[in-house]
Amino acid sequence: GTWLLSDEGSTNGTVVNDAPVEKYSQLDDGARVVLGGSMSLRFSFVTEEEERALARVFDAAMRDGLTGVYNRKALDERLASEVAFAVRHVTPLSVVLIDIDHFKDVNDKHGHLAGDAVIREVAARLARGIRTEDVVGRWGGEEFLVVARDISVDGAAQLAERLRRTVAAHPVNDGGQAIAVSASFGVASLSCCGERKDVRALVRIADDRLYEAKRGGRNRVVAAHGKV
């Protein structure tokens, strides 16, 4: 089939292969498109198999190699878009920051391969425990982050408590050895951020509360300063 591009009176116009679009311009495979004078794209035909392959490559780039959950880059992008949406539409948004307890001891006692097994299993337990609309990813090292859309800090605290129980319910079995595991949780919502409702403020509050959970004895959820 033939693909046509039209410009509906945009302020800065549209250009295809260096020619301004007057009414319609035909898009051929490899056509160069400039939108608004600054955004440059290349139009390309792909088969269904090529499209699936591209989707797999894109998804792989968004996944953590060890655990299969989203990586830090994907989390950063998701957080930015979710915070922008929640602020614009005045809807709730919460995050849960999670840190595996005594992880250095696991590495020291059982070895780094066992440590990797613990990280993989905790990630799997978190992924099974979140809601369909939530996203979980590896924040770094033995830390994970859950982005929970349209949920208050109290609701996110309940979610975190369910996840805490799920993580600690059973030891991780690795090569015949049973490794006890637990995690600490810090919960924050945009409603906790006062006037500054942005990603940095949201994550900082969750991190502060995670530190309180660690300081308070670990294997617990903190969703408000001084309150477990």
Side-chain angles (χ1 to χ4, degrees):
T2 300
W3 290 81
L4 298 175
L5 183 144
S6 66
D7 184 278
E8 302 296 324
S10 64
T11 302
N12 295 311
T14 303
V15 175
V16 174
N17 291 333
D18 301 323
V21 176
E22 301 294 343
K23 186 175 182 181
Y24 295 100
S25 181
Q26 182 171 325
L27 292 176
D28 299 316
D29 191 32
R32 299 184 308 279
V33 181
V34 178
L35 305 176
S38 60
M39 181 181 291
S40 181
L41 308 171
R42 184 174 292 276
F43 181 79
S44 179
F45 293 111
V46 294
T47 66
E48 288 186 9
E49 180 57 35
E50 288 172 332
E51 185 176 4
R52 287 193 292 268
L54 288 170
R56 288 194 296 268
V57 169
F58 176 79
D59 188 64
M62 295 291 103
R63 298 285 177 175
D64 173 61
L66 177 63
T67 64
V69 297
Y70 284 110
N71 60 25
R72 178 61 180 267
K73 179 178 183 295
L75 282 175
D76 285 338
E77 292 179 0
R78 183 62 176 260
L79 265 175
S81 63
E82 291 288 353
V83 168
F85 180 91
V87 169
R88 185 165 61 249
H89 296 279
V90 196
T91 55
L93 179 71
S94 296
V95 297
V96 182
L97 193 57
I98 304 141
D99 188 85
I100 300 174
D101 294 329
H102 301 297
F103 185 72
K104 183 178 183 299
D105 292 345
V106 173
N107 278 332
D108 290 345
K109 183 177 180 180
H110 301 283
H112 289 280
L113 291 179
D116 286 350
V118 167
I119 289 176
R120 279 195 302 269
E121 179 58 25
V122 169
R125 292 178 186 184
L126 294 173
R128 290 195 298 267
I130 61 175
R131 307 173 305 163
T132 303
E133 60 268 40
D134 298 335
V135 167
V136 61
R138 190 176 178 192
W139 193 242
E142 64 271 22
E143 284 192 334
F144 297 88
L145 184 81
V146 173
V147 184
R149 177 189 292 180
D150 200 25
I151 188 172
S152 68
V153 67
D154 290 337
Q158 294 173 20
L159 169 64
E161 177 57 27
R162 291 197 302 272
L163 293 175
R164 185 197 66 78
R165 292 197 299 267
T166 298
V167 168
H170 306 288
V172 173
N173 291 310
D174 179 64
Q177 56 185 347
I179 305 171
V181 63
S182 68
S184 300
F185 296 72
V187 181
S189 175
L190 284 178
S191 62
C192 306
C193 296
E195 293 299 317
R196 183 180 176 181
K197 290 179 171 58
D198 59 24
V199 171
R200 178 173 292 186
L202 182 62
V203 174
R204 178 185 56 77
I205 293 171
D207 191 53
D208 287 347
R209 292 174 180 176
L210 172 61
Y211 177 75
E212 288 190 33
K214 289 284 191 181
R215 188 177 58 186
R218 297 179 171 81
N219 191 23
R220 64 190 61 211
V221 173
V222 171
H225 288 303
K227 181 180 179 180
V228 177

